[in-house]
Amino acid sequence: MTPSLSGLLAALREQSGIAHKRDIQRVAEALRNSWPHAFPNGDDSAVIADEQGPLLLAMEGFINEFVAADPWFAGWCGVMVNLSDIAAMGGRPLAIVNALWSAGETQAEQILAGMCAASRTYQVPIVGGHTNLRSNQPQLAVAVLGRAARLLNSFTVRAGQDLLVAINLDGRWHPPGHNWDAVTGADPQRLRAALALLPEMAEAGIIAAAKDISQAGLAGTLVMMLESAQLGAQLNLDAVPKPAECDWLRWLCAFPSFGFLLACEPEQSERAITRFAACGISAAVAGRFLPGRQLMISQGSEAHCFWDLQQNPLTGMGH
């Protein structure tokens, strides 16, 4: 029996990926009155003003259980997710560093093998980091430095812009968790071309903003984007690209290896969709950004408020 939309959204709100994003509220409060920033906190990458164009700095840490269960894939993801964050800001990556702990050499070798495979695939060098092989458990954090010629910024999204969803559907589930793997068996040249679309379309003025779909899933990531923009949105699930074999709850919780939410002026949306399609990426206009601070989700004739940011902040960023 297919669950109702209201039941689907209720289950989605309880997912751990969204709960983890609530933890950012404590960080947001601590940073609010700290060192002044030229750019606000809360986007996919930190932005550092530079005469040659904005520098971008992205960093991800990984849950220890994931690193222990699949160290090679954790190493790959350490590179991949940061490259996606750089691309979401309209940037191109320059270099990778990591901080790695493991209980001996074997774990470390597997993590590093995954990182090196991704580094070769995406043609971004690993230039340094920190290593400890005498830990009682494996731990991993990775950072990537990039540069943008034309910055994409979630804080500049405007009401009336189209909401596009772009995802590589040519993949498979990669346990543990809700990882949709469309990269580890793919052609490296195609992966690089797809990631390069974001800065290319930013520089051409085709897209106005983007956000990488994170462990919060599609809907949770959209709430974070709206929190930065101080806006609401309408999302139509019937228009969201989805593999036929996936149920909606798992797909909305998925961490796709290539998945972005984008803001476009309506007259630019078809250009963006065409560019994605040329790289094998499924993209569609799945909604619109609106005044107010509610995320409304519809499916068929049913529509409900998934999140009201006026009543319930998620990360606390964007205030």
Side-chain angles (χ1 to χ4, degrees), residues 50-193:
D50 185 78
E51 291 180 356
Q52 298 180 42
L55 287 168
L56 303 173
L57 188 58
M59 184 175 185
E60 297 280 350
F62 293 85
I63 295 172
N64 293 341
E65 290 80 6
F66 169 54
V67 181
D70 198 345
W72 188 95
F73 190 55
W76 175 286
C77 289
V79 172
M80 178 186 71
V81 298
N82 281 290
L83 299 183
S84 294
D85 284 343
I86 295 293
M89 301 288 290
R92 293 178 172 84
L94 299 174
I96 304 161
V97 296
N98 70 86
L100 166 65
W101 292 258
S102 74
E105 295 180 7
T106 301
Q107 283 181 331
E109 287 171 355
Q110 293 178 65
I111 295 168
L112 289 168
M115 287 190 65
C116 289
S119 171
R120 289 191 297 269
T121 292
Y122 290 103
Q123 296 290 286
V124 185
I126 299 171
V127 298
H130 168 85
T131 304
N132 184 329
L133 303 185
R134 301 174 187 275
S135 174
N136 61 353
Q137 61 184 2
Q139 296 175 251
L140 177 66
V142 181
V144 172
L145 180 70
R147 188 184 295 279
R150 184 175 185 272
L151 189 67
L152 295 176
N153 184 347
S154 295
F155 290 84
T156 64
V157 178
R158 296 188 305 103
Q161 289 177 329
D162 281 347
L163 167 61
L164 271 66
V165 178
I167 304 177
N168 187 345
L169 302 184
D170 188 16
R172 60 183 176 83
W173 293 114
H174 189 133
H178 300 294
N179 298 300
W180 181 255
D181 182 359
V183 289
T184 56
D187 174 53
Q189 187 172 350
R190 291 193 70 182
L191 294 179
R192 293 193 296 270

Side-chain angles (χ1 to χ4, degrees), residues 2 7 9 12 54 72 99 186 189 192 195 211 218 228 244 264 281 283 292:
T2 303
L9 300 186
L12 191 58
W72 188 95
Q189 187 172 350
R192 293 193 296 270
L195 206 58
K211 198 161 186 69
L218 192 156
S228 296
C264 278
I281 306 299

Side-chain angles (χ1 to χ4, degrees), residues 19 39 64 82 91 102 145 211 213 227-229 253 258 261 266-267 290 317:
F39 296 89
N64 293 341
N82 281 290
S102 74
L145 180 70
K211 198 161 186 69
I213 298 174
E227 203 164 21
S228 296
C253 294
F258 184 100
L261 306 176
E267 64 270 18
L290 302 171
M317 296 290 187

Side-chain angles (χ1 to χ4, degrees), residues 27 53 72 86 93 95 128 155 159 161 167 226 246 249 269 272 286 296 301 319:
V27 179
W72 188 95
I86 295 293
F155 290 84
Q161 289 177 329
I167 304 177
L226 297 177
C246 296
L249 180 59
S269 294
M296 300 295 299
S301 61
H319 290 263

